[in-house]
Every structure is written in structure tokens, then in C-alpha cells.
């Protein structure tokens, strides 16, 4: 059975499923992975909703308007939770497939807002930086590398393993687009 090309004839569904199951069997058990930021368990009702949504094209708002309505409610709930500007029905945000995509979009938003602010002041926009602890998700470093932003790291203190606000603020200057903080650490 070829691994890297389409077979001449298809496989029975049970055989294809068994091949995938066998391949994944050697992976770690997500429930035992304490360094993971992914959901390792959820209520069966949530899993049912996900299964029932596999064939829904959520970006086709004309065919699936409920997706937009549910999305907007989730954005409003998060805006309220974080005391953001423009709460309730005026909250703005976007859904992403995962945290890496969310980080890239958040970083770009910070960079664009910083650049616009600096241009209005007639200042140089060639040296943006982002302050973060060494314990952030690796995607923050990727964001900096991909989008030409200097990464400024703060050593993480033990007991508790958190970002020290004073040390982070010491690295902030007019070229700082933001401070990346996380709500959990695997240290």
C-alpha cells in the first residue's frame, strides 16, 4: 500500500481507518501530556456538536448564518471577560482554527496599530519589538521571525513561574508593539 501517492484502487474504509489508527498508536496519549495546551477532554455534547459541524462551511455566511451569529456571541463573551473596548453587540474579533493562527493575527494587529501610531508622529517604523517571557508559546517567536519584529525576552521567575511585570516594563520603549503574556505555563 503506497504511503506517498494515491493508490490505483481505493481501500475499504475500515482498512484506511486501521492504517491511521496503527500509525497514531505510537503517539503520546493527550490525556497524559501535561505540556499540551490542547483540550484533552470535553463533554460528549461538545464532541457531538463538532461532529455535526464537519460538513458545514462556516465562512459561507449566506448558507450558514447561524455560524456567524454564534461566532459573534463568542466574541462578545470574550470581550466582556477581558473588559475590552466595544463590548456586547459591538465587540469585534475573529475566530481562528488554533492558537498559532490567533497569535499571528494578534501580533499583526499590534504591529499595524503601532506602525500607524508611529507614522502619525512622523517616527521611524523599522524597528518594532515585542516583549515576552521565555515561557510563551513558541509561535510568538515565530511571529517575530516571520514579521521582522525584535523579540525581547524576560527571564521567568520561579515560585511562581510567571512574567515579572516590572522586568517586562523595563524592556518597553516607543518601538514596543506589545507584551505577550500567557495564562498558563508548563514550567
Amino acid at each position: 500500500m503506497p504511503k506517498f501517492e494515491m493508490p490505483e484502487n481505493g481501500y475499504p474504509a475500515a482498512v484506511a481507518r486501521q492504517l491511521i489508527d496503527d500509525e497514531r498508536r505510537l503517539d503520546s496519549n493527550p490525556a497524559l501530556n501535561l505540556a499540551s495546551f490542547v483540550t484533552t477532554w470535553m463533554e460528549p455534547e461538545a464532541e457531538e456538536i463538532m461532529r455535526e459541524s464537519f460538513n458545514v462551511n462556516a465562512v459561507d455566511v449566506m448558507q450558514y448564518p447561524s455560524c456567524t451569529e454564534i461566532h459573534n456571541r463568542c466574541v462578545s463573551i470574550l470581550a466582556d471577560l477581558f473588559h475590552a473596548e466595544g463590548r456586547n453587540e459591538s465587540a469585534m474579533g475573529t475566530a481562528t482554527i488554533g492558537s498559532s493562527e490567533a497569535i499571528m493575527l494578534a501580533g499583526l494587529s499590534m504591529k499595524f496599530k503601532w506602525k500607524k501610531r508611529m507614522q502619525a508622529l512622523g517616527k521611524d517604523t523599522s524597528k518594532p519589538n515585542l516583549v515576552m517571557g521565555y515561557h510563551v508559546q513558541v509561535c510568538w517567536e515565530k511571529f517575530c521571525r516571520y514579521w521582522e519584529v525584535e523579540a525581547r525576552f524576560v527571564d521567568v521567575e520561579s515560585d511562581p513561574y510567571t512574567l515579572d511585570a516590572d522586568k517586562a516594563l523595563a524592556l518597553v520603549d516607543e518601538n514596543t508593539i506589545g507584551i505577550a503574556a500567557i495564562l498558563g505555563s508548563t514550567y
Side-chain angles (χ1 to χ4, degrees), residues 1-186:
M1 294 184 192
K3 283 189 174 183
F4 303 104
E5 58 189 35
M6 292 293 286
E8 285 293 320
N9 299 304
Y11 301 139
V15 172
R17 165 76 190 256
Q18 188 63 52
L19 289 171
I20 297 297
D21 284 348
D22 290 347
E23 186 82 23
R24 294 190 64 222
R25 194 174 312 279
L26 298 176
D27 288 353
S28 295
N29 178 345
L32 301 177
N33 183 357
L34 298 179
S36 177
F37 291 100
V38 299
T39 302
T40 56
W41 182 89
M42 68 179 79
E43 288 80 1
E45 294 83 0
E47 290 180 355
E48 288 173 26
I49 289 172
M50 291 172 65
R51 262 192 311 280
E52 292 166 1
S53 301
F54 285 152
N55 62 348
V56 172
N57 182 356
V59 297
D60 187 347
V61 297
M62 298 301 283
Q63 292 297 317
Y64 305 101
S66 64
C67 292
T68 302
E69 180 59 32
I70 294 167
H71 165 268
N72 290 340
R73 287 184 206 154
C74 291
V75 168
S76 295
I77 290 168
L78 290 171
D80 185 60
L81 179 66
F82 289 103
H83 307 286
E85 295 178 25
R87 293 192 218 157
N88 300 317
E89 292 180 26
S90 63
M92 293 182 64
T94 188
T96 63
I97 297 302
S99 57
S100 295
E101 181 185 8
I103 286 169
M104 291 291 174
L105 291 174
L108 283 173
S109 176
M110 288 189 288
K111 184 178 180 184
F112 292 154
K113 286 180 181 180
W114 167 83
K115 185 175 182 178
K116 186 176 179 182
R117 190 170 51 249
M118 295 297 278
Q119 286 173 331
L121 297 171
K123 296 193 174 190
D124 180 36
T125 61
S126 65
K127 299 191 185 300
N129 68 68
L130 179 69
V131 176
M132 64 192 112
Y134 276 109
H135 64 317
V136 296
Q137 183 182 358
V138 69
C139 192
W140 284 107
E141 295 176 63
K142 288 180 182 179
F143 163 78
C144 290
R145 189 169 48 256
Y146 295 168
W147 300 103
E148 299 176 333
V149 174
E150 175 193 356
R152 293 186 175 179
F153 290 99
V154 179
D155 285 327
V156 177
E157 299 293 323
S158 62
D159 197 26
Y161 292 108
T162 58
L163 179 68
D164 182 278
D166 292 329
K167 289 182 179 180
L169 289 173
L171 296 177
V172 171
D173 61 25
E174 70 178 356
N175 291 319
T176 302
I177 66 171
I179 299 175
I182 61 171
L183 299 177
S185 175
T186 57

